[in-house]
Amino acid sequence: MGIDIDVRDDGQFKVLSDLVPYTIHAEGRRDGRLVFSAGDSGTALWMKVTQEQEAELLSRMARLGIPSSALTVLASGR
């Protein structure tokens, strides 16, 4: 099943967040390319971000007390 969501829209992103407990896998694509993937283990999330998005994510994580070591950079081509 596919659901089109603009993750820049807080209301639409909330729909995605509300569905998380009821799904075993979710993927996000843009122009046919995978940009994130999350499985049902609850311990992993894969996403492709720009350097600016990475900096913002790290900043938000720091404000929440989450260490940057929680992220792992994957090899190119994944």
Side-chain angles (χ1 to χ4, degrees):
M1 176 167 100
I3 301 171
D4 291 332
I5 293 178
D6 183 348
V7 296
R8 297 168 296 186
D9 180 298
D10 289 342
Q12 290 186 38
F13 189 76
K14 183 171 180 348
V15 170
L16 179 62
S17 297
D18 289 345
L19 289 174
V20 167
Y22 307 102
T23 187
I24 60 170
H25 185 78
E27 291 182 349
R29 296 179 180 272
R30 181 173 187 171
D31 298 328
R33 294 177 56 202
L34 187 66
V35 293
F36 80 83
S37 176
D40 66 347
S41 69
T43 60
L45 169 67
W46 177 95
M47 62 186 146
K48 183 175 182 176
V49 296
T50 65
Q51 288 181 332
E52 293 81 14
Q53 291 168 326
E54 178 185 16
E56 176 62 25
L57 177 59
L58 290 171
S59 175
R60 288 181 181 195
M61 289 172 55
R63 288 193 301 268
L64 294 170
I66 302 169
S68 62
S69 60
L71 298 180
T72 302
V73 176
L74 297 177
S76 184
R78 170 98 196 242

